[in-house]
Amino acid sequence: MRTSTEYIKLYGTKLRETEKAVHFTVDRVGTKDIESVTHWFPISQIKSMTTASDPVDDSDDMIEVADWICRSKELV
């Protein structure tokens, strides 16, 4: 029996994107601020992604990533 995948929202800056992955600097995990760290995240494990429309207003990009990826990268 397969369990449903849980997802965690990560906030920061999308640096680049390829066909298979997103390079992302994470500044916040959910509502918790963290020391900035940069990782590649596989597109197949990203549920949703939004990019700040106005870089001047200091808003963050967001990716919603499978919980197990966050754990493997020691973000949670």
Side-chain angles (χ1 to χ4, degrees), residues 36-47:
S36 295
V37 61
T38 301
H39 290 290
W40 282 97
F41 294 92
I43 295 278
S44 64
Q45 299 303 312
I46 297 174
K47 180 178 179 181

Side-chain angles (χ1 to χ4, degrees), residues 40-71:
W40 282 97
F41 294 92
I43 295 278
S44 64
Q45 299 303 312
I46 297 174
K47 180 178 179 181
S48 65
M49 177 170 39
T50 57
T51 304
S53 57
D54 184 5
V56 177
D57 73 2
D58 198 32
S59 58
D60 290 331
D61 300 330
M62 184 278 296
I63 56 175
E64 197 169 359
V65 181
D67 175 74
W68 72 267
I69 284 279
C70 293
R71 291 186 190 288

